[in-house]
Amino acid sequence: MNITNYIQFENADLTVAIGTGLISTLDRDIDIRVVPFVSDNDKAPTHRVYAKSPRGHDIEVGGIWKKTSQDGKTYYTLSIRKLQYNANLGRYPGQNDPSLQAVIEWDPRD
């Protein structure tokens, strides 16, 4: 399968799973790695997001946050601040693997 804008986690428990993925836009393709982050701060991300520098160094570029919708459902958001990139995670239409999450970009409100 040739897909873009995804994170493949190592298992379905996204809160504690490591993942790798790809974010593609018109001007960039970024391979990412997400690593669980544990904190007592309830506003802290569940994961740190890393990308490679041009020379191959791992650089922390963003985070993933676990949130709750108004109707009580859990969802995850991803943010890469330097790129002003924001997205939700969700399943691709027609697939039922909870460890494969689509990265669904959205624009922040002013």
Side-chain angles (χ1 to χ4, degrees):
M1 175 166 52
N2 186 15
I3 59 174
T4 59
N5 299 329
Y6 72 93
I7 300 173
Q8 178 68 64
F9 289 90
E10 63 186 3
N11 63 60
D13 186 358
L14 303 187
T15 304
V16 297
I18 294 170
T20 58
L22 172 66
I23 295 174
S24 293
T25 66
L26 288 174
D27 59 348
R28 63 181 64 97
D29 282 318
I30 303 169
D31 291 311
I32 60 171
R33 184 171 58 91
V34 298
V35 178
F37 177 73
V38 178
S39 174
D40 292 332
N41 182 342
D42 61 349
K43 294 183 179 183
T46 59
H47 293 78
R48 300 283 192 201
V49 178
Y50 296 90
K52 295 282 187 192
S53 74
R55 293 181 55 194
H57 300 285
D58 282 334
I59 298 173
E60 184 178 338
V61 296
I64 294 175
W65 284 262
K66 184 176 183 179
K67 299 197 175 184
T68 304
S69 69
Q70 291 178 340
D71 57 350
K73 294 184 180 179
T74 298
Y75 69 100
Y76 292 86
T77 63
L78 176 142
S79 177
I80 301 176
R81 293 196 190 279
K82 295 273 186 190
L83 302 178
Q84 298 179 342
Y85 186 89
N86 297 290
N88 288 336
L89 303 184
R91 291 192 192 174
Y92 280 96
Q95 70 91 16
N96 58 5
D97 177 0
S99 67
L100 176 61
Q101 294 288 303
V103 176
I104 307 159
E105 184 177 4
W106 54 270
D107 290 324
R109 294 181 202 168
D110 292 331

